[in-house]
Amino acid sequence: MADIESDLSVMRKAGQVTTGEPAINPKVVKVTAGKLPTATIADCVDITHWTLIDKASKKPVPLPTTRLIKYGSIASLEKWGTKWMVTKLTAQEQSC
């Protein structure tokens, strides 16, 4: 959550907003029962239709051509009471 809030703060300061949304299709990889149930979820995040826009000019912000547009993501979760809570979210630095 701290990483996301930091990214959003940097974007706000730069006068940037996003349009569109990432495409996700998460899959449960592992669930472990016990006193504190845990789960691992894997995904391939596709940001093809997620565009960074300069708020003032309304034009797309140029981004590096080498950035990953589809990348793996792994989430670790714990079950707290009746709700599953994400305790760690890791973007993989490789294409999927």
Side-chain angles (χ1 to χ4, degrees):
M1 185 70 149
D3 289 342
I4 293 169
E5 288 175 352
S6 175
D7 289 347
L8 290 172
S9 177
V10 168
M11 286 173 36
R12 275 192 292 274
K13 286 178 185 171
Q16 299 170 342
V17 296
T18 58
T19 62
E21 59 187 51
I24 60 172
N25 189 19
K27 306 277 188 229
V28 176
V29 175
K30 180 180 177 183
V31 176
T32 305
K35 192 170 193 169
L36 180 64
T38 62
T40 303
I41 297 175
D43 200 354
C44 180
V45 180
D46 180 351
I47 59 171
T48 303
H49 301 290
W50 200 17
T51 307
L52 190 59
I53 303 289
D54 180 273
K55 198 172 179 181
S57 71
K58 309 284 191 249
K59 293 182 180 178
V61 173
L63 296 170
T65 57
T66 56
R67 77 183 182 115
L68 291 175
I69 295 175
K70 294 181 182 178
Y71 58 89
S73 177
I74 304 291
S76 299
L77 295 86
E78 293 178 352
K79 191 170 185 182
W80 298 353
T82 59
K83 298 181 189 240
W84 286 95
M85 303 297 286
V86 176
T87 57
K88 185 175 181 182
L89 182 62
T90 307
Q92 307 294 300
E93 294 183 16
Q94 60 187 10
S95 184
C96 56

